[in-house]
Amino acid sequence: MNWIEAIGYLGTVLTISASAMSTMIPLRIIALLASCAVITYGFLIGSMPVVLTEAIQIPFNAYRLWQMMRLVRDVETAADGDLSLEWLRPFGSERPFGIGEVLFRKGELATEMYYVESGLFRIPEYGIDVRKGGIVGELGLLSPGNARTASLVCVEAGRALCVPYSEVKQLYYQNPEFGFYFLKLTSERLFQSANQKAAQAQVPEAAANSDVL
């Protein structure tokens, strides 16, 4: 086997390795290296069909690799909490709310979530305040029967963008940044709820202990 055949075999090994991979970024990188090796082999043996086939594949693999790298960067941005949700505006309708107005009550059927643009809103069951830039009402999309898991009351007059769940589902599948942010948000809300319930359970226990003492 001479060095020209070695290059051809290298291209074959890299192509097979790329086909066997399950993670996309390494797959695209190996595929690009395989194309380079096969193109080199094609030139050395004078086979233009081989060169042309691999030359056509390189731009596709390079573009897909760039997409995946950008996706990873965007997900990291979302994980750091730097994701701006101003682009949600075309997918919802803006509504004003006055002091004391109840946006929804626990147990009601949930059909939309809210992106707070101004004012102050409170989840009374857990004592959680939602301010400008916050999202609330998202758990109803995940709860059994789409029932509200808590209530929401306007404490300071303001405005909120109401986004129907039908739009939320589309955004979740179409926008990776929003999908990751949504999962992170719901997880944080569940932890807040669990911590609040644990704190409430400790109060009666502490009172009982004080009575004994």
Side-chain angles (χ1 to χ4, degrees):
M1 181 178 66
N2 57 37
W3 63 276
I4 296 178
E5 290 179 332
I7 294 176
Y9 283 122
L10 174 63
T12 300
V13 171
L14 290 173
T15 300
I16 295 173
S17 299
S19 301
M21 288 184 173
S22 58
T23 50
M24 294 305 297
I25 290 180
L27 185 154
R28 297 298 178 183
I29 293 174
I30 297 300
L32 286 170
L33 294 175
S35 293
C36 292
V38 174
I39 285 175
T40 302
Y41 176 72
F43 272 120
L44 292 174
I45 65 173
S47 177
M48 292 311 296
V50 172
V51 173
L52 181 61
T53 300
E54 296 300 323
I56 292 174
Q57 292 188 57
I58 284 180
F60 288 104
N61 282 317
Y63 178 68
R64 294 301 184 187
L65 176 61
W66 174 78
Q67 282 185 318
M68 294 303 300
M69 297 296 291
R70 186 181 65 174
L71 173 60
V72 171
R73 181 198 62 201
D74 291 340
V75 168
E76 289 175 348
T77 300
D80 292 335
D82 297 329
L83 178 62
S84 172
L85 297 177
E86 287 297 324
W87 51 266
L88 274 175
R89 192 175 300 279
F91 302 96
S93 57
E94 188 181 81
R95 288 169 52 190
F97 296 96
I99 297 177
E101 185 173 352
V102 178
L103 282 71
F104 54 79
R105 290 182 171 82
K106 183 177 181 178
E108 291 180 345
L109 179 65
T111 59
E112 59 188 3
M113 73 175 193
Y114 300 84
Y115 172 59
V116 177
E117 297 184 322
S118 63
L120 176 64
F121 298 81
R122 180 167 297 157
I123 304 174
E125 287 85 355
Y126 307 120
I128 298 174
D129 290 336
V130 185
R131 304 178 184 275
K132 180 179 178 180
I135 284 183
V136 64
E138 77 290 343
L139 287 181
L141 178 60
L142 306 177
S143 66
N146 293 132
R148 292 292 185 190
T149 59
S151 306
L152 184 66
V153 180
C154 180
V155 178
E156 295 178 6
R159 306 180 72 86
L161 188 69
C162 308
V163 185
Y165 284 160
S166 58
E167 295 291 345
V168 175
K169 291 177 182 178
Q170 291 296 320
L171 290 169
Y172 181 87
Y173 290 115
Q174 295 177 12
N175 191 307
E177 302 98 307
F178 177 76
F180 189 88
Y181 180 89
F182 185 81
L183 290 175
K184 181 183 177 185
L185 177 68
T186 52
S187 299
E188 289 178 349
R189 197 81 73 194
L190 289 172
F191 279 118
Q192 287 177 334
S193 174
N195 292 335
Q196 186 67 23
K197 288 181 179 179
Q200 291 174 350
Q202 290 175 356
V203 172
E205 182 179 348
N209 292 335
S210 64
D211 290 341
V212 173
L213 296 175

